[in-house]
Amino acid sequence: MRLRTRLALAFALLALVPLAIVVPLTLTRLRDTLSRELDARMTAATTSAQESLERSAANARRAVEELVESPAMEDLVREARSAPLRAIQANTAEGLMKSRGLTVLTLFDRNGTVLSSGHLPARRGDPDPVLFAVTKEKSPKPVPVRVDVRGDAGLRQVPALVTARPVDYGDVRLWAVGGVVLDDGLAQHLARLTQSDVTLLSGDAQVAHAGSAAPPTVEQVLPLGNAVSVRLTFSRAAAREAEEGVMRAFLLLAGLGLGFAALLGMLVSRWMTRPVEALTSGARRVAEGALDVQVTARATGEVGELVRTFNHMTSELKNTTERLMATERIAAWQEVARRLAHEIKNPLTPIRMSLETLMAAHEARHPSFPTLFKESAGVVLEEVERLRRIVDEFSRFARLPKPQLAPVDLSELTQSVLSLYAAPPEGIQLQPALQTGVVARADRDQLTQVLVNLVKNAEEAMTGKGGALRVRVKGTDADAIVEVEDEGPGIPLEHRARIFEPYFTTKDGGTGLGLAIAARILQEHGGRLEVGGEPGQGARFSVVLPRAS
């Protein structure tokens, strides 16, 4: 990953880290605040509903108390002393009930027989044990019970808050049991009061419902005795919407911050990394050989000092390299001259000795002069031929032509070279292992010269001893390789560092230019010549070339 990209990502992360810390804390605080607010609202609404139910019960109690204390009720009891069913009509309780704002009212005799019922007139003369049981309650407060009422769907039970009061006249006692029905009207009133969804339950059955609450919801239940309960359902949708709104705002803020930070990071990183990239490009060009590279990017501080140091370094490097190259060229030519002088000096000694012998024999009129002349001439011609051979190899090494690269099938080329050695010397077995389809871009003639030299050297290394001469062609994803391996004495480890130097040889009569020329040819091809094998067990030379795509 590039430095510019890393810096841009670092800026973006710096923008996100504060948000990543603040957002969870803020959402937690907001959630807690909204939860406390909802709990407070639920508590207040529940309290209001409880107070409203208590007011309804208190109103019902006062209405029944006012009824039993009224003159009308006293007159009714007095008239009913002898025959209650004749004195109290079926609609008597209904009139009294409506005048007092009650929705439940039943007049009982002392035995629990219904004398008149305002909410269920048809029950006159029958017992109503559920309502009459209220007369046994010791508490003056209204109690919840289930009462029978007749509606459009027939007779049904509904919850009601009722209280009982006796009416005495002499030895006559009647009971007035009255109250209010807990119906849809009460549910609607509670729903408006608490701003919630209100359900009146009789056991598990729903008897009234009003209001609504969007999910998610929280419930509170107000029990009214064992028979009736009021369920208040509060919506948490507003709190959830507030949380989501805050989250959306934070996400928008995070997106804007991230975009701004990324843009700022790109601009700053571009400004910061431009000199570094220029230095990297300059260093790459220096590695490729352009020693006079100068970086022109503007920079300040430590990076600016680095740019100036780099430019100074390349200037010094160019001058130093030119001096070193000049020194190396002089040293190389001095070494070549020394080696060449040494190689030429060796043949000159026998030539001079032969000529001096001939001159002495001629002056002395020696009778064997013809024989001496013939022998000396042979020696001179042999040494002159040796001189010519030295000069030709030196000339070939010094003026090696530029390779003409073209796709070459190494298996086919190696096979053609090995055909020159179809009849190897006695004791030497040729063992080729040629992988097909290994193609490299090479100069066919120069590569042939390299392989011929390597095979010839391998044969010469096993002269008199014999052994296997193995030639392999193989390829990897990147390289095309030809290996020539013999079972000769091998190359000592101390000689391997100099084996490819001009005029370095371990063979008698060798010039030391064969492997130097081969190494230089492969270097010109963008490849290399490698030496391996265990000393005393043979040598292995590997021709490594870039594989053609």
Side-chain angles (χ1 to χ4, degrees), residues 404-532:
Q404 303 298 316
L405 301 181
V408 175
D409 188 322
L410 295 188
S411 178
E412 182 270 330
L413 176 62
T414 304
Q415 186 64 52
S416 66
V417 170
L418 294 181
S419 65
L420 301 176
Y421 300 89
E426 185 178 355
I428 297 177
Q429 300 85 40
L430 193 61
Q431 298 179 1
L434 312 179
Q435 177 183 335
T436 59
V438 180
V439 179
R441 288 183 58 80
D443 186 308
R444 187 180 184 88
D445 293 338
Q446 292 187 8
L447 193 55
T448 300
Q449 179 183 349
V450 171
L451 295 180
V452 167
N453 183 274
L454 295 178
V455 174
K456 179 183 176 183
N457 287 348
E459 277 193 351
E460 292 177 352
M462 294 187 293
T463 300
K465 176 185 176 184
L469 195 163
R470 301 179 183 86
V471 181
R472 307 182 191 90
V473 174
K474 59 184 180 180
T476 65
D477 292 339
D479 297 327
I481 304 171
V482 181
E483 291 182 348
V484 178
E485 185 175 6
D486 62 60
E487 294 183 347
I491 307 297
L493 296 178
E494 64 270 16
H495 291 167
R496 292 188 182 184
R498 303 185 59 199
I499 194 68
F500 301 122
E501 291 183 4
Y503 299 107
F504 179 84
T505 181
T506 59
K507 297 189 297 184
D508 295 335
T511 62
L513 288 175
L515 289 178
I517 292 174
R520 182 173 172 186
I521 288 174
L522 292 175
Q523 185 179 9
E524 294 289 336
H525 280 68
R528 61 188 183 277
L529 181 59
E530 299 176 347
V531 61

Side-chain angles (χ1 to χ4, degrees), residues 246-263:
V246 172
M247 178 60 74
R248 285 193 295 269
F250 273 122
L251 290 177
L252 178 61
L253 181 61
L256 293 175
L258 181 61
F260 177 75
L263 178 60

